[in-house]
Amino acid sequence: RYWRDWSSDVCSSDLAYDAITARTLVLRGAESDLLDTATAQAMAARGPRALVHEFAGVGHAPTLVAPEQSRVVTDFLLSG
């Protein structure tokens, strides 16, 4: 469960994200109505400074079935 400290306007999930030290990949469908561009950019700018990859013409959750999609994950994992 997540809690919110209403006095500081910081949610525990924000603190948890900022504490991640592992390399992080965020995959985003350009047509997502759940993860907007601004949020993905913020995820790249703070915490683990995630690498963000956006798939054109895809909704919220890329399926990673197409080779060009799964290659993004493979390349990320092999680059570490």
Side-chain angles (χ1 to χ4, degrees), residues 2-78:
Y2 297 114
W3 54 268
R4 179 173 284 279
D5 177 353
W6 296 105
S7 64
S8 68
D9 198 34
V10 174
C11 184
S12 67
S13 61
D14 294 334
L15 299 174
Y17 180 76
D18 289 339
I20 294 172
T21 59
R23 290 176 48 241
T24 305
L25 175 64
V26 172
L27 303 176
R28 176 183 186 279
E31 308 304 317
S32 176
D33 57 354
L34 297 176
L35 177 58
D36 62 29
T37 302
T39 301
Q41 290 172 346
M43 293 174 80
R46 52 180 272 244
R49 302 202 182 282
L51 172 65
V52 177
H53 187 90
E54 184 173 280
F55 296 102
V58 174
H60 174 64
T63 61
L64 306 178
V65 174
E68 62 273 10
Q69 291 182 356
S70 61
R71 190 175 309 110
V72 171
V73 176
T74 301
D75 290 349
F76 175 79
L77 293 173
L78 293 176

